[in-house]
Amino acid sequence: MCTQLVTHERIFTTLAKARELQPHMERLIHKAKRLTREDHLYLKQNLTTLEAIKKVKDEIAPRFRKLPAGFTRVECAGIRLNDKGRAGMIEIMGNELQEVQRNRVEVEKEAYNLETFWQWEAKICEQEVDHYEQLLRDLKSEMDSEILERLAAEELEDVDEDIPKKKLTLQQKQARAIMKEVEEKYVDKK
């Protein structure tokens, strides 16, 4: 199976076989990176074809020069329909099929103007924030208009919050009381 994986760089098999094959492939690629005399003999013992030996030395091992491990990946591919066995996929990282698949996804995103889940989520959150800020602005303007109406009905002037309570006139005290009453009414709506 090591030969087949080196040849095709991605194979589908049972999940148990894929997990069993992973440490053997990791060791094989690690030895192909070092390539001492013993490592070359190990490659000849485990790979059955000369093309596979040449491919692992010339193509696969240089890909992982800076990586200490993690050359292969095992994924569960679901359950097979005919015998209900758990299927798995094992692949050598950075293979052409992986790049083609990644590029196809990127092309589809651009062609159909698709966005990722997190981009969509961020857009929804921004819309919610804008909605609630608008509700607060509407509530504030409603409160201000009601305060002005009630002050106009009682012929009082708007009071600054900065004026100390001791210096307020009777009319200003009445205006402040109206403002507090309206604010308390709208606190429940917030």
Side-chain angles (χ1 to χ4, degrees):
M1 276 181 97
C2 288
T3 306
Q4 295 302 315
L5 183 57
V6 168
T7 305
H8 300 291
E9 296 196 23
R10 175 187 283 182
I11 57 173
F12 288 88
T13 181
T14 62
L15 191 59
K17 285 181 184 178
R19 287 184 180 155
E20 185 69 28
L21 181 62
Q22 188 174 18
H24 294 292
M25 277 307 299
E26 295 278 336
R27 190 175 306 117
L28 198 105
I29 294 172
H30 183 68
K31 290 187 182 285
K33 281 172 48 178
R34 280 193 321 202
L35 211 58
T36 62
R37 184 171 187 270
E38 292 81 16
D39 296 335
H40 189 69
L41 290 174
Y42 183 83
L43 292 176
K44 279 189 174 181
Q45 289 171 354
N46 288 293
L47 297 175
T48 57
T49 63
L50 292 175
E51 294 88 27
I53 295 171
K54 184 174 181 179
K55 184 172 182 177
V56 80
K57 287 193 302 186
D58 297 339
E59 292 179 29
I60 296 173
R63 220 187 287 168
F64 302 111
R65 280 284 171 219
K66 295 181 181 176
L67 275 180
F71 312 126
T72 59
R73 176 176 72 165
V74 174
E75 270 188 15
C76 182
I79 296 176
R80 289 191 299 221
L81 295 177
N82 59 354
D83 64 351
K84 305 295 185 216
R86 294 185 66 193
M89 178 206 50
I90 182 167
E91 68 178 339
I92 298 172
M93 297 300 291
N95 61 30
E96 295 171 3
L97 298 170
Q98 201 175 21
E99 296 299 320
V100 167
Q101 208 170 24
R102 186 178 299 127
N103 289 340
R104 187 180 326 136
V105 169
E106 293 298 323
V107 166
E108 284 180 7
K109 281 183 189 176
E110 290 176 11
Y112 298 113
N113 199 19
L114 300 175
E115 53 191 18
T116 64
F117 171 77
W118 298 112
Q119 291 169 333
W120 174 82
E121 183 76 17
K123 189 170 73 173
I124 294 296
C125 289
E126 288 174 9
Q127 290 174 353
E128 285 179 353
V129 167
D130 292 342
H131 172 73
Y132 287 115
E133 285 176 352
Q134 183 61 38
L135 285 177
L136 287 173
R137 283 192 292 270
D138 293 345
L139 186 61
K140 174 90 170 102
S141 64
E142 192 176 325
M143 284 174 54
D144 291 342
S145 64
E146 186 171 337
I147 287 172
L148 290 175
E149 286 174 11
R150 291 194 53 191
L151 290 175
E154 296 187 20
E155 297 175 1
L156 300 172
E157 292 181 16
D158 197 3
V159 181
D160 274 344
E161 292 292 325
D162 298 335
I163 300 173
K165 287 186 177 180
K166 293 178 184 175
K167 295 183 180 178
L168 290 177
T169 63
L170 182 63
Q171 288 182 341
Q172 290 173 334
K173 287 180 183 178
Q174 288 174 344
R176 212 177 240 184
I178 289 173
M179 289 171 63
K180 278 217 184 263
E181 183 182 321
V182 170
E183 286 176 1
E184 288 172 4
K185 177 181 168 186
Y186 282 97
V187 165
D188 295 335
K189 286 188 177 181
K190 282 186 182 180

